[in-house]
Amino acid sequence: MNIKSKKPRGGQMRCAKSKINSADVLPKITALYERALPASRSGPLYGAFPYPTKISPEAIALFIAAHTRPGDTVFDGFAGSGTTGLAALLCENPSDELRAEADRLGLNVEWGARNAVLYEIGALGSFVGRTLSNPPEPRAFRKAAADILKSVEAACGWMYGALDPEGRQGALRHAVWSDFLTCPDCQGETSLWDSSVSLAPARIRSTFSCQMCGCEAPLDEATRSVENSWDDVIDASVERRSRTIARIYGSTGKSRWSRPASKADSELIAQIEAEPIPDCVPKQLIPWGDLYRRGYHKGITHLHQFYTRRNLIVFGRLWEAAGRYPEAIRGALRFWLLSYNAAHATIMTRVVAKSGQKDLVVTSAQPGVLYVSGLPVEKNLFAGLRRKLKTISDAFGVVYGRRGRVSVHQHSSCEVDLPDGSIDYVFTDPPFGGNIPYAEINFINEAWLGEFTDRRDEAIVSSSQKKSIREYQELLTDALSEANRILKPEGKATLVFHSASAEVWNALRGAYSDAGLGVECAGVLDKTQGSFKQVTTAGAVRGDPVLLLAKARSAAAIDEDCVWTVAERLSVSASSLGVGEQSAQRLYSRLVSHFLTRDQDIPLDADEFYRWHNARETTKASEFVSA
């Protein structure tokens, strides 16, 4: 592709060496950047839809409230799932906890409705942001969703039938499937479950034990078995990984139980195989990219192959039922279905063995990848969507009826259709280099929507897209140049970013400098906190540097500090701030902020810093023992 590099509009100059000028930053604003600000990962708005690396809207609301006044307009050019728009809406009537945090920081904000303009290149992200920031009336939505569950379950509920260990009729909660492995010695087949899984306590061993010849070998020496099968969705013979249903987890009344898979379970699977696939199921070829793995993606060439047949049929019936509703509520119903889809309805759902547990623990799909384990889990979609319904309706209830206006545009932020100087404040969270290929991850849900991300202007480092760090920096420069153009002369921009790579950090620095923006101050946003009240936690705490940007001004150059001198100084000062502030991850974020606020390149990657930090801690420990 031909990626253009645009010059900043309006005669903006490349940022010269700049430094913090405290006289230019209001004291009330600097409180947001002086100490790690906690960002909750809980609540209905955060839990409504799983989306990678998102920030809680309550945390963003503090930044918006501090940097703007009621009626102002906020812009986000990398909007993701739209949390900046939700944050703008929250400013109208903030929670007691949000007010208390603003008071604690001495922000003295003026609460009231703000507006937001969001640009998001992704089809899924823009759909999520548009739906959640402009929801239907919650009770009408909940009734429609309940009616859909009732009607489809009446027709397809038999598919989740299961007999309990006493032979009574119950319902499937979830089933664990297992790959077959080929013994490196006798070439016989044994399921991964029989070979390597044990319960009470739960354990998934890294060794293979053949049930036919008794061979013991490292698990990676036993190859995954494959089989040829007719795929009636694409009318073709396909080669896929060979699997069997291994264990059933169900309920009878209020009693929960589990047992090995039986002949009756296999007969039910055979009966389901004869059921037709709904016409609405996409026959969509997967445009594999950076996430493709030859091993565990064997036989997955089309969307529907990410599902068991049972869940593919049930999800298709639910999708059909949602499509019969008027447009005003149809989007919300599809939002609800997709919120559960990729993470829980596909074979990317998995089990893990946790220390001290008698049984395996079911978890969702692994975030940020399209991993399919050798023990995929098939969940009961009716039960899962029924649980998710409350979270979604509660999220709609938080936002519904607010006066702020949020407009979401599915468009590249390299070309923004807004006048010069029309935006009061920018809050944005750009993609972190090659950290997450959003378009590839979101493909599963986008296929059901029938809309796909235009990857040409996706800001990413990607071998499959032939985008190096240079193309990534050019795309960031274009987007941030547009943000600068539409920002009012005295407007500010808050940028949240995280990377373990000095090269990616320096690409970001080059991008905002070439866009005519400079750093005024920097802080840390802690995405791991559970509450605003939890300022620090024990153990290793990660944090994303937060940069306050403004239109660049010339300033005298600053001599570069020795990186290890800076690191030692930051480590010493962190000792008075609590355990969380002393972690290697948090200190690296502080180190990055130190050099960016001085308009200097980031001198080293996180791994090198972590090695220095570990050596320093080891030396301190030995000195303590000697003393």
Side-chain angles (χ1 to χ4, degrees), residues 65-138:
H67 287 283
T68 63
R69 294 179 177 177
D72 283 355
T73 301
V74 182
F75 175 78
D76 187 349
F78 298 97
S81 57
T83 48
T84 297
L86 298 176
L89 296 176
L90 291 180
C91 290
E92 177 184 346
N93 185 24
S95 65
D96 292 341
E97 194 174 21
L98 193 54
R99 289 177 183 271
E101 181 65 7
D103 292 341
R104 185 186 72 80
L105 293 172
L107 296 179
N108 192 29
V109 302
E110 184 179 353
W111 298 107
R114 273 78 165 170
N115 306 310
V117 178
L118 310 181
Y119 269 58
E120 167 54 36
I121 197 171
L124 178 64
S126 57
F127 168 78
V128 172
R130 189 179 302 114
T131 305
L132 193 50
S133 59
N134 298 278
E137 198 282 319

Side-chain angles (χ1 to χ4, degrees), residues 534-598:
Q534 298 171 291
V535 178
T536 57
T537 59
V541 181
R542 297 185 182 275
D544 292 357
V546 183
L547 308 178
L548 179 62
L549 305 177
K551 294 178 185 290
R553 297 177 299 278
S554 297
I558 298 176
D559 292 335
E560 293 191 6
D561 294 313
C562 170
V563 61
W564 303 121
T565 301
V566 174
E568 183 64 33
R569 188 165 65 242
L570 291 172
S571 297
V572 171
S573 62
S575 62
S576 62
L577 299 177
V579 176
E581 294 295 331
Q582 300 173 50
S583 70
Q585 294 91 344
R586 176 60 56 78
L587 287 172
Y588 183 71
S589 294
R590 295 292 191 192
L591 186 82
V592 167
S593 297
H594 171 90
F595 284 100
L596 291 181
T597 55
R598 288 154 177 79

